[in-house]
Amino acid sequence: MSTIQQETLAAILRRLLQNKLINLQMQRGELTIVVNAEDILGVSKVLRDDTALMFDTLIDLCGIDFLTYGDDLSVKYDLKDRRFAVIYHLLSIERNQRLRVRVLAENNEFPVVHSVTEVWPAANWFEREAFDLYGIVFADHPDLRRILTDYGFIGNPFRKDFPITGHVEMRYDEQQRRVIYQPVSIEPREITPLVIREEYYGDSES
């Protein structure tokens, strides 16, 4: 999308969304808008239905955990101490335009964002994936169940504070003659690579 197209689209978004538009960024030929979690359903309907936009296709939806972003990046991207976000990638086939929408969940302990499945049915499995991996709850989702992990899985593996080894492991028990879950038996360890360089490696004067 050219710069002129981006600026035209940005002007339309500012006019249509008004105070629901928290932020708008144009970077590397991509346009990103930020809206509040409480407004995502209404904003989605405008993005899909308004004839000046016509974003009829949801290409992707994913969760993000900003836990380890640090203060500098939090200020740069105006995260306001919010830990979780949902990102929507939209395509307008009619207008040949793309748009990224970012929604920050209000509650860091129990992140909730309204489902957009009634606007874009393709969001169904994407929202289940974000629920499974990040623990983001999508209100009014028609079937919010885990989709990638096992039914007995504990935790959300894409959260930054989730242990690399997980919480439980699975094995076949000979006595019980079935697969069982038990606490992880792997001891946590820190792996530091050993690097041996040749003498005078990188010395520009030799």
Side-chain angles (χ1 to χ4, degrees):
M1 194 161 54
S2 70
T3 304
I4 295 173
Q5 286 176 314
Q6 278 190 25
E7 289 174 353
T8 303
L9 177 57
I12 294 170
L13 290 167
R14 286 190 186 100
R15 176 174 56 82
L16 292 174
L17 300 181
Q18 298 182 359
N19 60 347
K20 292 181 179 176
L21 184 62
I22 305 303
N23 196 356
L24 187 149
Q25 298 172 341
M26 286 186 278
Q27 260 185 331
R28 299 185 181 90
E30 298 176 345
L31 188 61
T32 303
I33 62 170
V34 180
V35 299
N36 284 323
E38 63 190 17
D39 296 328
I40 184 58
L41 189 58
V43 168
S44 299
K45 289 176 180 175
V46 171
L47 295 176
R48 181 196 62 182
D49 297 338
D50 194 277
T51 54
L53 301 172
M54 302 177 73
F55 286 102
D56 55 354
T57 304
L58 175 74
I59 298 173
D60 187 27
L61 181 156
C62 63
I64 288 186
D65 182 356
F66 292 113
L67 180 65
T68 57
Y69 245 46
D71 294 337
D72 293 342
L73 287 175
S74 293
V75 171
K76 180 180 178 183
Y77 292 106
D78 196 23
L79 300 179
K80 300 173 184 172
D81 295 327
R82 308 278 169 73
R83 178 176 169 181
F84 296 101
V86 179
I87 308 293
Y88 308 80
H89 289 109
L90 305 176
L91 169 67
S92 171
I93 296 173
E94 183 72 23
R95 304 284 179 202
N96 191 24
Q97 293 177 328
R98 294 172 187 267
L99 178 68
R100 180 183 299 116
V101 181
R102 184 170 64 202
V103 173
L104 296 170
E106 295 290 331
N107 191 329
N108 290 343
E109 301 301 320
F110 187 68
V112 179
V113 176
H114 200 283
S115 173
V116 294
T117 50
E118 70 177 82
V119 181
W120 299 292
N124 190 326
W125 282 25
F126 290 135
E127 289 181 348
R128 286 180 62 183
E129 185 180 70
F131 165 71
D132 191 359
L133 301 179
Y134 292 95
I136 299 170
V137 175
F138 291 90
D140 290 339
H141 188 284
D143 185 18
L144 196 61
R145 289 179 292 149
R146 287 189 180 272
I147 191 169
L148 294 174
T149 58
D150 195 8
Y151 296 116
F153 195 87
I154 298 172
N156 306 101
F158 276 17
R159 287 192 175 192
K160 296 289 176 64
D161 54 358
F162 189 83
I164 294 174
T165 57
H167 294 294
V168 294
E169 63 186 20
M170 185 175 62
R171 69 174 176 84
Y172 181 77
D173 188 282
E174 289 289 345
Q175 293 180 339
Q176 299 182 41
R177 302 181 68 127
R178 66 182 181 91
V179 174
I180 63 168
Y181 288 95
Q182 63 185 30
V184 173
S185 59
I186 302 170
E187 291 291 328
R189 60 182 177 163
E190 187 171 325
I191 301 173
T192 305
L194 177 62
V195 179
I196 301 174
R197 293 197 169 95
E198 300 170 5
E199 192 171 6
Y200 306 116
Y201 175 83
D203 188 351
S204 60
E205 296 180 2
S206 61

